[in-house]
Amino acid sequence: MKKITNLKEFACTPDRFLGGHRLCPGCAHSMIVREVVNATDDDLVVSTATGCLEVCSAIYPYTSWDVSWIHIGFENAAAAISGAEAMHKALKRKGKLYTDRPVKFVAFGGDGGTYDIGFQALSGATERGHDFLYVCLDNEGYMNTGGQRSSSTPIGAHTTTSPRGRVSYGEKQKKKDITMIMAAHGSPYVATACPSYWKDLAVKAQKALETEGPTFINALSPCTTEWKFKPEETVRIGELAVESCAFPLYEIENGTKLRITYRPKKKIPVKEYLGAQGRFSHLFKKGNEWILDLWQKQVDEYWDYLQRREECGV
Amino acid sequence: MATPKEMLTTWDKIQFGAVLPSFEDPKTKKRSKFHSYNYKVADWRVEKPVFNPDLCINCDFCWVWCPDSCILVEEVTTKRGKKQAKMVGIDYDHCKGCGVCVDVCPTPIKSLLMFPEHTPIEEALAQWPKKEDKKKD
Ligand code: SF4
Ligand code: SF4
């Protein structure tokens, strides 16, 4: 296993996801992908569900990947990777593998391809117990098609299908808690991560790849285009999300052992996180204060819940 | 059985279950013309980041967060025998000018700053903010 101690050493890694892709300037997707694929020296087989990452990294005839890569439909990244993994296992059993090098299987999907459309494939693959890592690039909406809401969109967010207006305050539903759902599958390792905490993410990716069985990482991916902030602020928005506990970083082993991997020194009000993004700007108008209070209440309650779970070791 | 190198030459040589290696030769990093590395996105840029090697502390923050993998680093060995990456410059073929690297650069006076695309590098370096009231450390 490759050792990740500090960034100076980590930066000696030859990149396996290269430039020339057409993701927006300042997109967090490629930060996440680079932190995951560079975290291991093993051969990788990657499948990617339709989404920003797939359309931008594989515009015909180009590819940005230095690893074996499968493009598959919106709904079945997990199914494709479990098929590849099953074949690898079968060939190994029959002694027909041409290489002895360890091979790891990774699937990437956006939140649309994970929370909504790809969920049954992911749930099935996890239940069957294939050995793969699924990374969800969670940008809280269908950003590839112009910013529609998904079940990951948090309450109050403006999207094209939950627009703000004189009466509407944007998205009405709460964000679905996919990480806990995956933990409830009994997966040996699930975690949340944010690319602004590169080491946390890289170490989690490594741990997930080393763990045998279906593992899952939900990585927050601040989206400059649809969250409406300046491209250079991507890393800072990710930090705000974590420091305000709107997106807490934790991991769960075997569905039962929760550990908070990063504790903000001083929890900042969630208003600062929301205020930094254009998609929430209407919440700061008169009459919408109750949503901000609701947000803060939900974040506090969830953070308390995580802490209680960690304390009790469940 | 075809070797990995043969498998890379044509599709019908690829074996079932083969995992193709990243490169034909990891040393030279030879990539085919279908790799997006051979595609330029430089024209997306309005402003470009300029690198000032005199101020850089080689923290590599810019390397890990550049979304377009265009921070060029060089592997060096320190006096204590540890390998570490030294920031050497920017790959202007793939930089989209997002400014993330400037934002994350931690030096008191930034080692990376955005300048209009047409500014020559020397001119940009000459305009760099000076360490006025900052003490040397
Ligand atoms: S401006 Fe953006 S793309 Fe260009 S080097 Fe900096 S981080 Fe990379
Ligand atoms: S972030 Fe700034 S100080 Fe750090 S390596 Fe890059 S240019 Fe140098």
Side-chain angles (χ1 to χ4, degrees):
Chain A
M1 191 162 107
K2 178 166 158 179
K3 251 188 111 177
I4 301 175
T5 46
N6 58 41
L7 191 47
K8 292 186 184 193
E9 237 175 85
F10 187 51
C12 297
T13 319
D15 247 309
R16 298 211 268 181
F17 181 75
L18 284 151
H21 55 70
R22 274 46 140 226
L23 290 163
C24 304
C27 179
H29 275 20
S30 43
M31 299 180 191
I32 297 168
V33 171
R34 287 178 65 236
E35 286 165 21
V36 171
V37 297
N38 292 342
T40 174
D41 288 330
D42 297 341
D43 286 344
L44 287 177
V45 177
V46 175
S47 86
T48 303
T50 303
C52 292
L53 179 67
E54 177 270 321
V55 295
C56 297
S57 70
I59 289 178
Y60 182 79
Y62 297 101
T63 170
S64 306
W65 299 81
D66 271 350
V67 295
S68 309
W69 187 78
I70 314 169
H71 163 221
I72 202 75
F74 217 142
E75 68 288 2
N76 49 6
I81 209 70
S82 50
E85 190 262 351
M87 182 171 84
H88 183 80
K89 234 189 233 157
L91 288 171
K92 196 170 177 181
R93 197 174 52 236
K94 293 181 188 156
K96 282 192 182 165
L97 275 192
Y98 89 100
T99 169
D100 298 330
R101 281 172 58 83
V103 181
K104 296 277 155 58
F105 296 86
V106 184
F108 288 102
D111 59 292
T114 307
Y115 283 67
D116 303 342
I117 304 174
F119 186 67
Q120 49 91 3
L122 173 61
S123 177
T126 310
E127 184 264 324
R128 291 191 300 273
H130 292 281
D131 182 13
F132 68 99
L133 161 64
Y134 192 102
V135 182
C136 171
L137 309 160
D138 187 356
N139 55 11
E140 308 192 328
Y142 289 86
M143 304 323 190
N144 179 33
T145 45
Q148 289 82 9
R149 75 170 284 277
S150 78
S151 56
S152 164
T153 312
I155 185 165
H158 163 86
T159 67
T160 49
T161 46
S162 63
R164 56 185 157 210
R166 242 177 309 142
V167 185
S168 166
Y169 55 86
E171 171 75 5
K172 311 233 168 358
Q173 283 82 20
K174 241 176 98 177
K175 183 180 165 103
K176 183 156 108 185
D177 193 350
I178 193 86
T179 321
M180 290 296 178
I181 297 172
M182 293 317 292
H185 279 70
S187 157
Y189 185 82
V190 302
T192 58
C194 174
S196 313
Y197 299 80
W198 71 269
K199 195 170 175 184
D200 185 76
L201 176 49
V203 169
K204 277 173 179 165
Q206 225 175 20
K207 217 164 158 182
L209 288 170
E210 290 303 313
T211 309
E212 207 175 307
T215 50
F216 178 81
I217 292 178
N218 189 24
L220 185 75
S221 176
C223 171
T224 119
T225 314
E226 296 296 341
W227 293 18
K228 305 193 176 28
F229 57 82
K230 291 202 201 84
E232 70 264 27
E233 288 170 357
T234 310
V235 177
R236 227 178 315 148
I237 298 280
E239 271 168 16
L240 286 175
V242 173
E243 296 289 338
S244 65
C245 296
F247 194 86
L249 303 182
Y250 59 88
E251 57 185 19
I252 306 175
E253 278 168 30
N254 297 319
T256 49
K257 203 165 169 303
L258 186 138
R259 199 170 74 82
I260 296 171
T261 52
Y262 178 83
R263 269 168 207 284
K265 288 206 182 66
K266 195 175 167 294
K267 201 166 141 207
I268 58 170
V270 79
K271 256 188 217 163
E272 285 183 34
Y273 167 57
L274 304 181
Q277 303 164 49
R279 63 172 176 159
F280 289 117
S281 61
H282 57 289
L283 299 188
F284 293 84
K285 292 217 180 85
K286 242 180 118 93
N288 281 337
E289 296 87 359
W290 66 276
I291 307 175
L292 291 177
D293 295 339
L294 183 70
W295 248 99
Q296 187 67 50
K297 192 171 145 258
Q298 282 177 358
V299 165
D300 289 345
E301 272 173 4
Y302 194 67
W303 181 240
D304 269 354
Y305 161 72
L306 289 179
Q307 279 178 315
R308 265 182 285 137
R309 264 190 78 164
E310 189 190 32
E311 241 168 66
C312 307
V314 290
Chain B
M1 206 181 258
T3 64
K5 204 163 181 179
E6 277 166 6
M7 278 195 252
L8 281 174
T9 54
T10 157
W11 63 271
D12 52 2
K13 285 264 179 9
I14 296 175
Q15 315 253 325
F16 284 117
V19 175
L20 296 182
S22 304
F23 310 108
E24 236 174 289
D25 178 9
K27 286 263 152 48
T28 56
K29 292 196 182 170
K30 194 167 169 287
R31 294 186 179 89
S32 80
K33 63 177 182 205
F34 299 127
H35 201 291
S36 71
Y37 193 71
N38 294 317
Y39 181 85
K40 295 184 178 39
V41 286
D43 48 359
W44 288 37
R45 236 177 12 235
V46 189
E47 284 189 314
K48 65 177 177 189
V50 177
F51 172 54
N52 187 338
D54 300 338
L55 299 169
C56 175
I57 55 168
N58 292 315
C59 65
D60 297 320
F61 282 7
C62 49
W63 178 86
V64 76
W65 281 309
C66 170
D68 294 276
S69 329
C70 42
I71 301 294
L72 304 172
V73 292
E74 205 172 65
E75 197 179 312
V76 291
T77 314
T78 56
K79 277 178 226 140
R80 290 202 211 114
K82 283 213 176 105
K83 62 174 190 173
Q84 71 171 52
K86 185 171 174 285
M87 154 78 169
V88 289
I90 293 153
D91 169 2
Y92 285 117
D93 284 346
H94 300 114
C95 169
K96 293 175 187 149
C98 63
V100 166
C101 52
V102 174
D103 197 67
V104 298
C105 185
T107 51
I109 300 172
K110 301 247 178 211
S111 317
L112 286 158
L113 282 178
M114 298 306 273
F115 284 91
E117 178 64 22
H118 54 81
T119 319
I121 304 272
E122 304 78 52
E123 210 172 286
L125 286 174
Q127 288 171 17
W128 216 272
K130 293 276 172 317
K131 280 191 197 171
E132 279 146 13
D133 41 8
K134 292 231 164 59
K135 271 177 234 114
K136 255 201 198 151
D137 44 5

